[in-house]
Amino acid sequence: MNNNKKKELFEAFLLELLEWYKEKWLDVDNNDLSRLKVLKLLFLGVSKNKKALDIFNNFQAWALWPVEKDIYDLIKKDKLDIGIINNVNLKLKNRKKNFSKDIKELAKDIVNTLKEKNNNLIKLSASTLVDITHKWNSWELSRSFNMDKISKKLILEDDWYFN
């Protein structure tokens, strides 16, 4: 998979999250979009989107959470063009990045899925989102069987939990 496309889609997703955050909280400069929270929202948002799961194709069942390992690495190494995500929040450097129409639409679809399932997910704490993702069988089964990756099939067939 093209990691540039993965990075681009993730950055477009972050900008969509910030727009949603702005709708709910008004102030995006003092956001709580931490590394953990953003990665939880990513998993929940792409979980039933085959096209997004083709791009975000490296979910792993870590002890506390399902995590897209390639995205985690980009965040940890500060390799994002639009900003820095730390343990507290997202700090934007570049809000004006140009994305292709397809990438913008897919990022919007991911966030719209989250809004439709629970419009208050953006307001929840990272630890509450961890509790929600622990209800997902795809994470539990992958951990139980020591799988390196959570299969796309397991994620797509899982029950949805958003509360």
Side-chain angles (χ1 to χ4, degrees):
M1 174 48 55
N2 181 340
N3 278 338
N4 288 333
K5 188 171 186 178
K6 186 181 287 195
K7 178 182 173 182
E8 184 179 10
L9 179 54
F10 182 68
E11 290 181 327
F13 167 74
L14 290 175
L15 292 178
E16 289 296 325
L17 280 183
L18 281 171
E19 286 302 311
W20 185 20
Y21 196 93
K22 187 177 177 181
E23 289 171 20
K24 292 294 189 180
W25 295 105
L26 302 177
D27 182 11
V28 294
D29 293 328
N30 295 311
N31 67 71
D32 71 341
L33 296 173
S34 66
R35 182 180 310 129
L36 180 59
K37 184 170 181 171
V38 165
L39 289 167
K40 301 278 80 200
L41 291 170
L42 178 67
F43 175 78
L44 293 170
V46 304
S47 60
K48 299 296 181 191
N49 187 317
K50 290 177 186 175
K51 189 173 183 180
L53 281 170
D54 283 341
I55 296 168
F56 296 115
N57 60 352
N58 194 14
F59 278 101
Q60 298 180 2
W62 289 8
L64 292 178
W65 45 333
V67 62
E68 215 296 341
K69 174 78 165 73
D70 301 328
I71 295 300
Y72 178 83
D73 289 344
L74 285 173
I75 293 169
K76 285 291 283 184
K77 295 174 183 173
D78 292 329
K79 296 289 185 185
L80 298 173
D81 297 330
I82 66 164
I84 296 170
I85 305 172
N86 57 35
N87 289 328
V88 179
N89 63 7
L90 164 61
K91 296 177 188 200
L92 278 183
K93 295 187 289 190
N94 179 10
R95 207 180 281 245
K96 302 282 186 206
K97 187 168 180 181
N98 291 322
F99 299 104
S100 70
K101 182 180 176 188
D102 290 345
I103 291 292
K104 281 189 220 178
E105 287 176 6
L106 187 50
K108 191 175 280 294
D109 287 347
I110 294 167
V111 172
N112 283 339
T113 295
L114 294 169
K115 288 178 174 181
E116 290 167 10
K117 293 301 176 186
N118 181 345
N119 197 30
N120 289 314
L121 281 172
I122 196 75
K123 290 180 156 184
L124 299 179
S125 69
S127 62
T128 300
L129 293 171
V130 167
D131 292 341
I132 290 170
T133 57
H134 280 196
K135 296 176 185 177
W136 288 65
N137 289 327
S138 56
W139 173 79
E140 186 66 43
L141 287 170
S142 296
R143 295 240 341 121
S144 297
F145 291 102
N146 293 319
M147 299 168 141
D148 289 336
K149 287 173 56 171
I150 305 173
S151 78
K152 178 179 171 180
K153 184 178 189 298
L154 271 179
I155 295 170
L156 288 169
E157 292 176 355
D158 209 339
D159 293 327
W160 275 19
Y161 295 98
F162 290 92
N163 295 312

